[in-house]
């Protein structure tokens, strides 16, 4: 069974169901049942038109569920609207569905969580990790969002800011390697940039391109992580870097700074540096100051501490880190790095072990474990 094919078809099928009158929660439930049936039957009898098959199967599941409702007249109307057999139109509804899920009846955080789960295909655990909340908390948030939009007609699409937040989180999950969604997020953001003249849309597209340009160099052949300072810059995609900077500069010139433009400016400074030791860390700290002003994010303040440590020395970095809560993910890893640079390998080794224990994925855990082992080997000599 081609799971990638099913994932790619899901947004379009869901959009068809919503357009034809299904409320979002019921449409998602019907589609999930159709996907289960597809997994069961397609290996032995693959359809000629997979999307058309899913539309018809999901619609029938929706109708079956609707027939148990008391609104008989509405049920009969829906039966008459059943889509005909045959190929479904080859229309990309994904971006439209992102806007529909960012419904005004939902808070921005709930809209993002619902869209990531229903359209982006992310698990509740992945979404919770992105929001820095427990998985149970995120599960409750998504359930409340489904209940809120149940029965609501999606005729008032949400705002651009919420859609950008969703696209950014989808890209980050794809970039981390858990789910390969990075290219899809870039494609949708390109569509959005072509249809909306908005500096933050341009900023997000630039940010994605600049990060994606370094993707090939982020892991070694054995799958281990390669830190930014050690990456082979000859493997960076210079065309994507040039495109990202070319998109970013006109956006910044409009003097309507937003968090995605600020993040893209930081990524551009890294991308333009000919080597790690020639990175303009002073300017990067200035951009982190702007970003912290815009977001007040603990993750931003954590990353700023690293930049301060590079610009002004590890003692200054540790002082900046002291203002960041130690519950923020990767706090121990940053502390370990700064202590090592400050000439304290004993503390650094201990913190690398702690950071490895808290790591979110296997590759990061292995990298931090290697760092601890390297320092412990030096100390044992």
């Amino acid at each position: 069974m081609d799971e990638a094919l099913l994932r790619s078809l899901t947004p379009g099928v869901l959009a068809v169901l919503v357009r034809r009158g299904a409320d979002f929660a019921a449409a998602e439930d019907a589609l999930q049942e159709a996907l289960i049936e597809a997994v069961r039957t397609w290996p032995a009898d693959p359809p000629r038109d997979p999307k058309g098959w899913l539309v018809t199967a999901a619609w029938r599941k929706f109708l079956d569920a609707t027939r148990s409702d008391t609104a008989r007249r509405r049920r009969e109307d829906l039966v008459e609207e059943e889509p005909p057999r045959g190929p479904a139109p080859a229309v990309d509804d994904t971006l439209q569905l992102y806007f529909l899920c960012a419904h005004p009846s939902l808070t921005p955080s709930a809209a993002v969580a619902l869209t990531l789960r229903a359209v982006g295909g992310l698990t509740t655990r992945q979404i919770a990790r992105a929001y820095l909340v427990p998985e149970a908390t995120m599960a409750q948030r998504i359930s409340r969002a489904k209940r809120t939009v149940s029965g609501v007609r999606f005729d008032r699409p949400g705002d651009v800011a919420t859609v950008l937040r969703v696209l950014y989180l989808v890209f980050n999950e794809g970039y981390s390697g858990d789910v390969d969604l990075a290219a899809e997020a870039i494609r949708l953001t390109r569509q959005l940039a072509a249809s909306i003249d908005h500096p933050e849309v341009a900023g997000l597209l630039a940010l994605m391109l600049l990060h994606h340009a370094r993707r090939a160099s982020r892991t070694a052949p054995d799958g281990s992580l390669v830190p930014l300072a050690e990456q082979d810059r000859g493997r960076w995609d210079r065309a994507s870097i040039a495109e990202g900077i070319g998109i970013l500069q006109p956006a910044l010139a409009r003097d309507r700074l937003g968090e995605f433009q600020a993040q893209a400016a930081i990524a551009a400074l890294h991308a333009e540096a000919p080597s790690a030791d020639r990175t303009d860390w002073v300017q990067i700290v200035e951009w982190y100051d702007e970003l912290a002003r815009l977001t007040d994010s603990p993750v931003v303040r954590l990353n700023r501490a690293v930049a301060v440590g590079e610009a002004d020395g590890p003692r200054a970095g540790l002082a900046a880190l002291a203002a960041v809560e130690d519950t923020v993910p990767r706090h121990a890893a940053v502390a370990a790095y700064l202590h090592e640079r400050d000439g304290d390998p004993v503390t650094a080794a201990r913190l690398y072990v702690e950071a490895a224990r808290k790591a979110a994925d296997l590759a990061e855990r292995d990298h931090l474990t290697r760092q601890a082992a390297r320092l412990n080997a030096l100390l044992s000599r």
Side-chain angles (χ1 to χ4, degrees):
M1 171 57 59
D2 190 342
E3 294 183 7
L5 173 61
L6 289 177
R7 184 185 297 280
S8 68
L9 293 174
T10 296
V13 174
L14 192 57
V16 171
L17 299 181
V18 171
R19 283 204 307 268
R20 289 185 174 274
D23 67 72
F24 188 88
E28 186 188 17
D29 290 342
L31 178 55
Q32 291 302 316
E33 291 190 32
L35 290 171
I36 292 172
E37 187 174 341
V39 170
R40 183 177 60 82
T41 62
W42 283 15
D45 185 21
R48 293 184 180 180
D49 175 29
K51 181 177 180 181
W53 190 99
L54 283 174
V55 168
T56 300
W59 189 258
R60 286 173 177 166
K61 298 291 185 184
F62 170 70
L63 293 178
D64 288 344
T66 303
R67 290 189 181 99
S68 65
D69 193 82
T70 57
R72 179 172 300 275
R73 184 182 299 274
R74 178 57 181 154
R75 293 199 305 271
E76 292 172 352
D77 292 340
L78 290 172
V79 170
E80 294 176 0
E81 297 170 10
E82 181 174 349
R85 293 179 179 270
V91 178
D92 186 351
D93 299 296
T94 309
L95 189 57
Q96 178 191 11
L97 196 57
Y98 272 63
F99 271 97
L100 292 177
C101 288
H103 196 269
S105 63
L106 296 172
T107 64
S109 61
V112 170
L114 178 61
T115 312
L116 289 172
R117 184 70 185 91
V119 188
L122 275 63
T123 65
T124 303
R125 176 175 297 179
Q126 290 169 325
I127 302 169
R129 191 172 68 227
Y131 270 91
L132 310 181
V133 299
E135 184 177 353
T137 300
M138 183 53 65
Q140 292 175 352
R141 185 178 300 176
I142 293 172
S143 295
R144 284 196 299 268
K146 287 183 178 180
R147 288 195 297 269
T148 299
V149 300
S150 181
V152 172
R153 292 291 302 200
F154 284 73
D155 54 358
R156 292 187 300 147
D159 66 341
V160 174
T162 301
V163 173
L164 290 179
R165 176 63 51 195
V166 175
L167 289 169
Y168 178 57
L169 292 175
V170 170
F171 174 82
N172 279 344
E173 284 300 332
Y175 192 65
S176 71
D178 266 357
V179 183
D180 191 10
L181 294 172
E184 173 69 358
I186 292 174
R187 183 183 70 83
L188 293 173
T189 307
R190 283 190 189 279
Q191 287 186 9
L192 189 59
S195 60
I196 298 177
D197 182 21
H198 193 297
E200 272 294 82
V201 177
L204 178 58
L205 179 56
L207 176 63
M208 289 179 175
L209 290 169
L210 290 164
H211 278 315
H212 206 58
R214 302 199 303 261
R215 186 171 187 176
S217 64
R218 291 182 69 244
T219 55
D222 63 359
S224 60
L225 291 181
V226 180
L228 176 61
E230 300 172 18
Q231 289 176 13
D232 178 1
R233 298 183 180 227
R235 299 184 65 197
W236 290 1
D237 184 348
R238 291 294 164 186
S240 292
I241 291 173
E243 182 185 4
I245 293 173
I247 292 170
L248 175 63
Q249 288 175 336
L252 291 175
R254 298 174 67 173
D255 199 24
R256 289 168 54 195
L257 185 65
E259 61 176 296
F260 294 122
Q261 295 170 73
Q263 289 189 59
I266 293 169
L269 287 167
H270 283 299
E272 290 180 311
S275 61
D277 58 359
R278 294 173 64 184
T279 303
D280 190 345
W281 286 106
V282 172
Q283 193 174 167
I284 287 175
V285 171
E286 292 174 354
W287 277 112
Y288 271 122
D289 289 339
E290 291 287 348
L291 192 54
R293 179 181 60 80
L294 289 166
T295 67
D296 192 32
S297 163
V299 175
V300 169
R301 287 186 274 116
L302 182 75
N303 292 333
R304 179 186 178 276
V306 176
V308 169
E310 298 291 349
D312 301 325
R315 292 284 175 91
L318 287 168
L321 183 64
V324 182
E325 301 86 345
D326 61 8
T327 56
V328 176
R330 298 185 174 87
H331 186 285
V334 170
Y337 173 74
L338 291 172
H339 276 289
E340 180 181 358
R341 289 198 58 221
D342 194 39
D344 184 0
V346 174
T347 301
R350 175 180 58 79
L351 287 168
Y352 276 129
V353 171
E354 178 184 340
R357 191 166 54 245
K358 297 177 178 178
D361 59 69
L362 183 60
E364 183 181 2
R365 186 179 308 124
D366 287 347
H367 172 72
L368 294 168
T369 301
R370 288 192 184 99
Q371 296 298 92
R374 173 179 57 80
L375 290 181
N376 284 324
L378 290 173
L379 291 169
S380 65
R381 291 178 183 174

